[in-house]
Amino acid sequence: MIYLDHNATTPPDERVVEAMLPYLRQLYGNPSSLYRLGRIARSAVDTAREQVAALIDAPAAQIVFTNGGTEANALALSSARNRRLWISAIEHPAVTENAVRQSERYTAINTLPADTYGLVLPGMLAEQSPQAGDFVSLMLANNETGAVQPVAEWAAATRAVGGLLHTDAVQAAGKIPVSFKQLGADLMSLSSHKIYGPKGCGALVWRADVDVRPLIYGGDQERGLRAGTENVAAIVGFGKAAELARLELDDRLARMQSLRAGLEQQLKTIPGLVIFAERVPRLPNTVQFGIPGVNGEMLLMQLDQKNIAVSSGSACAAGSGQISPVLAAMGVADSLAKSAIRVSLGKDNTAREIDEFVSVLKALLARV
Ligand SMILES: Cc1ncc(COP(=O)(O)O)c(C=O)c1O
């Protein structure tokens, strides 16, 4: 199978699985237990916290493990209580649904529009004369187009009015250099399964002076911010995946950039093909394109029959038959948006796989 959907999820790295196994077998202690087995588990969780912190240049003490990016986003939004909330038009449902379904928590919810290139540019806050204390949620990189957002500028603008900024860095971490400190964000969400770690694990990073409220109550694990016995094996796997991502970042980035350049060169020989967000900084592994007159979901299923996995947008929107809200926010015409295919490369894809994908794609298009 040719797997080209790494923004949906990544295959766990074999080294990650190896690191996890002892914690599923003999090292099964509860990190809250005081005897040796418990202390070993506690120490493993703390090591993982250091490894995740190192990937995104944040203090380890300011990282809370969650069960994934979605929960991290929900936890981040708890700090927006009684504030005016701004969310960008290109956020993942893990942000938008959490915001909209709990709208009574905020004094108002406003949308930050995207431009036709897929960027959410600053300037908006000033135009809207923000009240002090507004809360902005803007993702670091978009899961569909890969467009990398000017989060540092937004963080500065938000801070200038005494507000808070959350960034969903689920897609950016491990693909491009990410520094929590340099971005100046107040809160950042991460997910393990997008960086070759296990599913069901993620983290929220927060600045010490931000008032984060727990979503669930119970024991005082994770400093009371995330009650419940820690998923030690998954946390260990996330930590290992973060360490590998940090050590191999330069190599992975260069490899994916070169693979994608080759892919785009070949794609551009297809008449009428449009690459979304092509002119702006993008994740090195992502290309989303549309081909006029083509049904994207049908093409996806035909590619699946040829053992090739791609996406038509975000995994959450896939299969719904709906137009991608991200492309809609960019003003892409419905007919073109319906033809969208997203290819997201991974560290282990090869040039041969790319060639095979393009040749199958062209053969399928010739039949349309
Ligand atoms: C940008 C973004 N945020 C959040 C999530 C959700 O993360 P998780 O699957 O770990 O809950 C995803 C997953 O697709 C994503 O792409």
Side-chain angles (χ1 to χ4, degrees):
M1 170 175 171
I2 301 180
Y3 186 74
L4 302 174
D5 199 16
H6 293 80
N7 288 6
T9 196
T10 51
D13 191 300
E14 200 46 48
R15 295 165 292 180
V16 167
V17 176
E18 284 301 320
M20 291 172 69
L21 283 177
Y23 295 90
L24 292 169
R25 292 183 173 140
Q26 63 275 30
L27 302 178
Y28 51 79
N30 185 326
S32 300
S33 299
L34 297 179
Y35 43 81
R36 194 165 161 273
L37 205 56
R39 291 199 308 273
I40 291 173
R42 161 70 44 225
S43 154
V45 169
D46 288 344
T47 300
R49 208 183 303 281
E50 299 280 350
Q51 289 166 321
V52 171
L55 175 64
I56 44 123
D57 184 26
Q62 295 310 128
I63 289 179
V64 50
F65 287 116
T66 64
N67 93 333
T70 302
E71 187 188 324
N73 284 339
L75 193 55
L77 292 185
S78 74
S79 320
R81 259 171 221 271
N82 303 323
R83 294 172 183 265
R84 180 162 62 157
L85 175 63
W86 298 81
I87 53 176
S88 89
I90 57 163
E91 292 306 301
H92 189 274
V95 166
T96 46
E97 289 299 306
N98 270 304
V100 170
R101 288 175 190 272
Q102 297 175 330
S103 55
E104 68 286 352
R105 290 182 174 183
Y106 320 108
T107 57
I109 301 182
N110 294 33
T111 305
L112 299 170
D115 66 12
T116 51
Y117 302 111
L119 286 185
V120 178
L121 295 172
M124 182 73 186
L125 271 183
E127 272 166 38
Q128 301 282 327
S129 59
Q131 294 145 18
D134 282 358
F135 187 106
V136 174
S137 187
L138 173 62
M139 66 196 339
L140 190 47
N142 183 260
N143 45 297
E144 291 191 33
T145 62
V148 178
Q149 304 299 319
V151 169
E153 285 173 60
W154 275 103
T158 309
R159 183 152 304 166
V161 297
L164 294 175
L165 181 129
H166 161 244
T167 188
D168 175 345
V170 162
Q171 292 293 347
K175 294 182 187 132
I176 54 173
V178 174
S179 165
F180 180 71
K181 288 180 191 152
Q182 278 178 22
L183 280 175
D186 297 287
L187 299 135
M188 178 185 279
S189 305
L190 304 169
S191 176
S192 154
H193 75 102
K194 310 287 185 181
I195 62 165
Y196 307 92
K199 294 171 184 58
C201 194
L204 179 70
V205 192
W206 86 103
R207 269 181 10 138
D209 54 348
V210 178
D211 179 22
V212 180
R213 310 267 180 94
L215 300 175
I216 43 173
Y217 295 89
D220 68 354
Q221 290 92 349
E222 298 296 293
R223 294 165 65 182
L225 284 177
R226 211 299 178 161
T229 305
E230 298 89 338
N231 186 351
V232 179
I235 290 172
V236 165
F238 184 19
K240 184 69 186 175
E243 180 184 63
L244 294 171
R246 179 174 59 84
L247 296 175
E248 296 174 3
L249 185 66
D250 293 347
D251 285 350
R252 291 184 191 180
L253 204 156
R255 240 183 80 73
M256 288 194 290
Q257 227 156 19
S258 122
L259 272 184
R260 188 186 58 183
L263 168 60
E264 291 192 348
Q265 206 173 12
Q266 298 192 59
L267 286 175
K268 283 179 179 170
T269 62
I270 296 172
L273 184 139
V274 177
I275 294 176
F276 302 119
E278 187 184 2
R279 300 212 202 132
V280 302
R282 276 180 298 155
L283 294 175
N285 76 318
T286 308
V287 52
Q288 190 182 30
F289 57 89
I291 309 167
V294 167
N295 179 327
E297 291 212 337
M298 199 115 82
L299 187 56
L300 182 153
M301 297 316 294
Q302 289 168 333
L303 286 164
D304 180 40
Q305 281 167 6
K306 303 280 180 193
N307 250 336
I308 298 176
V310 296
S311 160
S312 58
S314 78
C316 307
S320 63
Q322 285 170 359
I323 303 287
S324 143
V326 173
L327 296 180
M330 291 164 61
V332 174
D334 282 6
S335 54
L336 189 59
K338 273 191 184 146
S339 73
I341 292 284
R342 177 191 69 187
V343 173
S344 47
L345 307 172
K347 65 184 177 68
D348 297 321
N349 283 132
T350 61
R352 185 182 288 197
E353 286 178 320
I354 301 299
D355 293 347
E356 172 74 10
F357 163 66
V358 176
S359 112
V360 170
L361 178 69
K362 285 186 171 170
L364 290 172
L365 289 173
R367 290 199 336 220
V368 172

